[in-house]
Amino acid sequence: MPPEPNTFVADLIRWYLLHKRDLPWRGTHDPYKIWLSEIILQQTRVDQGLPYYIKFVERYPTVEALAFAPQEEVLRLWQGLGYYSRARNLHQCAKFITDCLNGKFPKLYSQLIKLKGIGPYTAAAIASIAFGEKVPVIDGNVFRVFSRILGIKLNIAESGSRKVFFDGAKELMQGQDPEIFNQAIMEFGALCCLPKKPKCEECVVQSSCYAFAHNQQKSLPLKEKQVKVRDRYFNYLVFYAGNKVLAHKRISGDIWEGLYDFYNIETTRLLAAKSILAKLPTQISKKITLISVSPDYKHILTHQRIYARFFTIEINDLNFAELVIKNFSLQSFSRHSLQGIPKPRLIDRFLVDEKIYIT
């Protein structure tokens, strides 16, 4: 039997008050800091996201400070977190709040959800924690806790399922402090009702948990959605012109928009040196020297597996370098300045491995 709603909620809140982690965004009702923490923690573990949150708050203590920052600086600070559209949306949203809303966040869920990069979960977190609106957060933790405890067998990958969980959570939170209720459910999912190895022996509602009683912890929540992953093969040409390195800025609409990498020839498989040089115009291939070929790199994204090989190339005629820069839309950087521009993690790994940075 499922637990009585009042007992279920009371037990979870009691557990939360005893076991909650001491995190810097807890105990604040500043919507900026709540928003920042939620955006950083999307697709990111707390232990990975915490240093980024601290860096952002130190560098940009207010939404106005973030709005006035150059986008490249924001992307550089974000480097390593991945999903760079989050950082771009974060910056654009900060600009909108500063320029159009006088630096004030909307107080209602229905208004917050209209802002760029703020979805239902983040809007609910800000509205409930910063402004006390009784609106539940529905994330992976909440799906998992309610599915297991209440025995809800809906496919959470289907959009219609979210409304069932939302309506059920909203009913449960009536008469509760929405800030405490939401954080209790999320924390319980993060610390106790874990995806693969739930701590059932420590669970405060174990005696009336449907999944525990029926040994269905592994099968709940139901999630039947296949993510199509495609393989891509990047052959990077790392051009050197004297003590300068030539890099390329990714264009609008790209997954790495605004970040820098090297001139890339994408193929259906990684190429050998002879094959990659043959793809260059003759007037360029005659005036360069291949210095080295890197080991192969593998970089996994949500929908892509990227295989990369880096070809380090010296331009023999420095006057000729301008033609390479123009033909391949490159920019020239010293090794020191290269460290300060935003780059995908894949590029940063190569630069570190090859000791190209000057520290």
Side-chain angles (χ1 to χ4, degrees):
M1 293 291 292
E4 289 294 326
N6 290 341
T7 303
F8 165 59
V9 174
D11 286 343
L12 283 183
I13 289 177
R14 189 178 302 112
W15 174 91
Y16 170 72
L17 295 176
L18 287 172
H19 299 283
K20 65 179 179 178
R21 290 168 290 183
D22 183 16
L23 300 172
W25 49 82
R26 291 214 168 119
T28 180
H29 294 97
D30 181 347
Y32 168 68
K33 292 179 179 177
I34 295 165
W35 168 62
L36 182 62
S37 70
E38 294 299 342
I39 298 298
I40 288 175
L41 293 177
Q42 289 173 10
Q43 308 292 331
T44 304
R45 302 184 312 275
V46 167
D47 58 349
Q48 181 187 9
L50 179 56
Y52 285 87
Y53 173 83
I54 292 171
K55 286 191 296 183
F56 265 83
V57 170
E58 288 176 348
R59 183 76 64 87
Y60 315 121
T62 65
V63 68
E64 292 90 351
L66 176 58
F68 292 134
Q71 186 184 76
E72 279 196 10
E73 182 181 285
V74 174
L75 290 172
R76 180 66 182 88
L77 207 61
W78 191 272
Q79 186 173 307
L81 271 178
Y83 299 94
Y84 287 91
S85 61
R86 290 183 294 167
R88 290 189 291 269
N89 289 339
L90 185 82
H91 191 229
Q92 291 176 34
C93 186
K95 284 179 172 292
F96 179 82
I97 292 170
T98 299
D99 296 341
C100 303
L101 302 179
N102 297 317
K104 304 294 184 183
F105 279 77
K107 294 184 177 182
L108 298 177
Y109 171 85
S110 59
Q111 297 170 338
L112 287 161
I113 202 172
K114 295 177 182 178
L115 298 178
K116 190 172 185 64
I118 295 184
Y121 167 76
T122 303
I126 299 169
S128 62
I129 299 172
F131 302 115
E133 184 177 357
K134 289 187 180 297
V135 55
V137 295
I138 305 296
D139 70 345
N141 287 325
V142 177
F143 276 129
R144 188 166 59 255
V145 170
F146 284 152
S147 289
R148 288 174 174 171
I149 292 178
L150 304 178
I152 301 175
K153 297 183 178 181
L154 294 175
N155 182 4
I156 64 172
E158 296 178 356
S159 58
S161 299
R162 187 184 181 280
K163 186 177 187 306
V164 175
F165 283 87
F166 183 90
D167 291 344
K170 192 168 186 179
E171 184 176 346
L172 284 173
M173 80 187 310
Q174 299 308 310
Q176 304 294 331
D177 181 330
E179 174 186 359
I180 300 299
F181 176 90
N182 279 334
Q183 295 201 80
I185 299 292
M186 291 189 291
E187 192 77 335
F188 187 74
L191 297 183
C192 187
C193 196
L194 303 175
K196 294 183 179 179
K197 294 183 179 180
K199 300 177 181 179
C200 295
E201 299 306 318
E202 302 175 15
C203 177
V204 295
V205 292
Q206 177 233 76
S207 61
S208 52
C209 174
Y210 177 91
F212 182 79
H214 296 83
N215 195 28
Q216 293 186 11
Q217 297 96 318
K218 292 183 179 180
S219 61
L220 290 175
L222 296 178
K223 188 175 183 181
E224 300 173 0
K225 183 179 181 181
Q226 295 296 322
V227 177
K228 293 183 179 179
V229 179
R230 64 173 176 141
D231 292 335
R232 301 180 72 184
Y233 299 87
F234 291 179
N235 302 275
Y236 278 118
L237 276 61
V238 186
F239 288 107
Y240 276 85
N243 60 355
K244 300 291 186 180
V245 186
L246 307 186
H248 165 73
K249 188 173 184 179
R250 306 286 291 203
I251 60 174
S252 175
D254 188 276
I255 56 167
W256 288 334
E257 177 187 337
L259 305 183
Y260 288 82
D261 61 1
F262 302 110
Y263 179 68
N264 177 28
I265 298 177
E266 185 171 354
T267 52
T268 56
R269 59 184 176 83
L270 293 178
L271 299 182
K274 184 177 180 180
S275 299
I276 201 70
L277 293 176
K279 288 184 173 292
L280 296 176
T282 304
Q283 76 249 38
I284 291 179
S285 62
K286 287 183 176 180
K287 295 192 177 184
I288 61 175
T289 301
L290 177 65
I291 303 299
S292 64
V293 181
S294 77
D296 296 346
Y297 286 76
K298 183 178 180 180
H299 187 68
I300 299 177
L301 303 173
T302 304
H303 298 94
Q304 301 179 26
R305 281 186 297 262
I306 296 175
Y307 298 90
R309 187 175 290 168
F310 295 81
F311 300 85
T312 300
I313 294 171
E314 183 72 42
I315 300 174
N316 302 323
D317 184 348
L318 294 182
N319 295 324
F320 185 74
E322 289 302 320
L323 179 63
V324 177
I325 290 172
K326 181 178 179 180
N327 279 14
F328 295 152
S329 301
L330 302 174
Q331 297 178 40
S332 175
F333 295 92
S334 68
R335 291 203 294 165
H336 178 76
S337 62
L338 192 66
Q339 190 166 0
I341 60 176
K343 301 167 292 295
R345 174 63 181 149
L346 171 62
I347 302 302
D348 201 53
R349 285 169 55 200
F350 166 74
L351 293 172
V352 170
D353 289 346
E354 295 297 313
K355 297 180 173 58
I356 292 174
Y357 286 143
I358 293 179
T359 57

